[in-house]
Amino acid sequence: MKKSGLFLKGVVASLTLLVIGGSVTRAQASSTYRRTKTVKVKSKAYYSTSKTGKAYQFSGPIKRFKFSKPQILSNYADATWTRTAKTTVKMHGKRVLYYRVTSDMDHYQAWVRAKYLKPGRNYQKTKTTAITHRNYVQATKKRGKLYQVFTYGRRIMFDYSGNLHPTITYTATKHCYIYKHGKRYSYYYVKDRLSSVKRWVWAGYLKRGTYVKPDSTYDKQKIIDETITLLNQYRAKENAAASPLIWDANLQSLGDQRAVQLKANFSHYNLDGSDPSAPIAKKLGIYDTYLGTEDIYEGGFDETNHQTAKDIVEAYRSSAPHWYDLMNGSFTKIGVGLYSPQLDLYNAIELGF
């Protein structure tokens, strides 16, 4: 007796028509699919960033199997999946590639659609190697994180252990590479000089060097030197014909004495209109020889000597008449008078020919 039947290529489904509220709705029972034979492939590492993809078991023969025991891939966001085999599933008129993969988190083996996987290792590390001890300091304003790193074979887990500090020197003793989402990152195993705790930190947060406490204590000579250096840098840029200003001891003496006077009377003139610089300059023997002009400034010590010198120069730069004096190539000598009672700072720049 000849039998007849209907063969649905790719998918065999049992369909039932339900009538709800006058409309027809299709209710689909569990579906079965066809796939090709499992083919072993070269082992390769993958990771997944999918929020919706799933990993499955295949139940049944290849000509009539079901997807079963689904696991959400987002639960394995930190896993490296190792591919060992492939198959092509025929579904909805399309051929879809699946890989058989094993998670390094819990050795869970499943089939995952290829489009949900990206090549590369994830949360795995290379072998740790000892290195010649090197000193590092924080390289960025962002305070990088320090970690304890626990290893399980190649797999790693980070345990947050604090942040880098901008005033601490870190000594690196070991190195490794850590993979995250297919990218390789360089990490150092460091110890700071304030504790015996050793931790891992991404190399991008470090730069070679040893922390040196900034010149945060008022140093008159440093401010004088920095001020002259900055002024000469501007003269070279803005007036090529101007030679560098040279420090002069007599102009310095005049400037220092005038800076003290500025605390009581911040002016180029006495209350009676006389010139307060004249008697000092005559005593120094420069009044009728090479004394040129004077510029004065009032401010304060700004964290470091370098920044204080920069503040002085920028204040003069913002005033056209003062800046004209300081950039004038006719002047070749300079004294940078300073007086700093407590947090205040008085400055008298004396220029000479």
Side-chain angles (χ1 to χ4, degrees):
M1 180 176 182
K2 188 175 181 181
K3 296 182 180 180
S4 64
L6 178 64
F7 175 67
L8 299 180
K9 187 176 181 180
V11 180
V12 179
S14 173
L15 299 178
T16 304
L17 294 181
L18 302 179
V19 179
I20 302 176
S23 62
V24 178
T25 303
R26 292 177 181 268
Q28 182 170 305
S30 59
S31 300
T32 59
Y33 301 87
R34 281 191 172 191
R35 67 180 180 89
T36 60
K37 291 182 179 180
T38 299
V39 178
K40 291 183 178 181
V41 293
K42 184 177 180 181
S43 178
K44 187 174 181 178
Y46 288 86
Y47 66 96
S48 178
T49 57
S50 173
K51 303 295 184 183
T52 58
K54 295 179 181 180
Y56 294 95
Q57 302 298 316
F58 287 172
S59 301
I62 63 173
K63 293 184 178 181
R64 192 180 176 87
F65 81 94
K66 294 181 180 181
F67 290 96
S68 64
K69 300 179 181 179
Q71 295 288 333
I72 300 173
L73 286 176
S74 59
N75 291 336
Y76 290 82
D78 295 343
T80 295
W81 296 92
T82 302
R83 179 196 68 178
T84 56
K86 69 177 181 178
T87 187
T88 299
V89 176
K90 299 176 182 178
M91 52 193 306
H92 310 305
K94 296 181 179 180
R95 299 168 65 86
V96 181
L97 179 62
Y98 274 77
Y99 289 141
R100 185 168 65 195
V101 291
T102 303
S103 164
D104 67 346
M105 287 178 61
D106 53 9
H107 304 294
Y108 170 64
Q109 188 177 83
W111 289 95
V112 176
R113 192 168 181 171
K115 76 172 186 177
Y116 294 135
L117 298 171
K118 298 179 181 180
R121 295 162 65 180
N122 192 29
Y123 285 88
Q124 290 189 348
K125 68 183 286 294
T126 61
K127 183 179 178 181
T128 298
T129 57
I131 60 174
T132 302
H133 291 197
R134 302 170 185 165
N135 287 342
Y136 290 88
V137 293
Q138 180 177 306
T140 62
K141 290 183 178 180
K142 183 178 181 180
R143 296 180 63 185
K145 294 181 179 180
L146 294 156
Y147 296 96
Q148 298 290 346
V149 176
F150 299 98
T151 59
Y152 304 90
R154 286 185 173 181
R155 177 167 174 72
I156 59 122
M157 289 184 63
F158 286 105
D159 184 20
Y160 171 70
S161 184
N163 292 81
L164 290 173
H165 195 281
T167 64
I168 292 178
T169 298
Y170 296 88
T171 301
T173 60
K174 298 178 184 179
H175 176 266
C176 76
Y177 291 102
I178 291 178
Y179 293 87
K180 298 178 187 177
H181 295 154
K183 294 183 179 180
R184 189 178 75 166
Y185 298 89
S186 180
Y187 274 75
Y188 285 117
Y189 192 53
V190 298
K191 173 188 174 183
D192 67 69
R193 295 187 174 184
L194 298 181
S195 70
S196 59
V197 179
K198 296 180 179 180
R199 294 163 288 186
W200 288 95
V201 61
W202 176 49
Y205 286 132
L206 300 173
K207 64 180 179 181
R208 288 288 295 273
T210 301
Y211 174 73
V212 178
K213 186 176 180 180
D215 57 341
S216 56
T217 301
Y218 173 75
D219 188 319
K220 178 180 176 180
Q221 191 58 53
K222 283 187 178 180
I223 297 175
I224 291 171
D225 294 342
E226 288 278 356
T227 299
I228 295 174
T229 296
L230 290 170
L231 287 173
N232 282 332
Q233 288 174 353
Y234 276 116
R235 282 167 73 91
K237 291 179 183 178
E238 299 185 14
N239 185 359
S243 60
L245 293 166
I246 299 173
W247 179 83
D248 180 83
N250 289 322
L251 291 174
Q252 183 64 46
S253 179
L254 172 59
D256 284 339
Q257 294 180 65
R258 283 288 295 126
V260 174
Q261 293 176 345
L262 293 176
K263 185 178 187 307
N265 178 32
F266 189 75
S267 173
H268 291 292
Y269 301 98
N270 292 320
L271 296 177
D272 61 5
S274 61
D275 181 2
S277 299
I280 304 172
K282 288 177 181 178
K283 188 175 181 180
L284 292 168
I286 61 173
Y287 185 73
D288 294 321
T289 53
Y290 60 83
L291 177 61
T293 189
E294 174 185 85
D295 294 299
I296 58 177
Y297 162 84
E298 178 184 8
F301 184 75
D302 189 2
E303 295 187 355
T304 68
N305 295 293
H306 173 76
Q307 186 59 47
T308 301
K310 188 175 180 180
D311 291 347
I312 293 172
V313 172
E314 292 304 316
Y316 285 130
R317 191 163 177 251
S318 67
S319 171
H322 293 90
W323 198 241
Y324 175 81
D325 289 343
L326 295 166
M327 296 296 103
N328 190 337
S330 299
F331 299 121
T332 59
K333 298 181 178 66
I334 188 173
V336 182
L338 294 172
Y339 176 56
S340 182
Q342 297 179 340
L343 298 177
D344 296 327
L345 182 70
Y346 297 92
N347 163 241
I349 289 184
E350 307 295 338
L351 295 170
F353 300 103

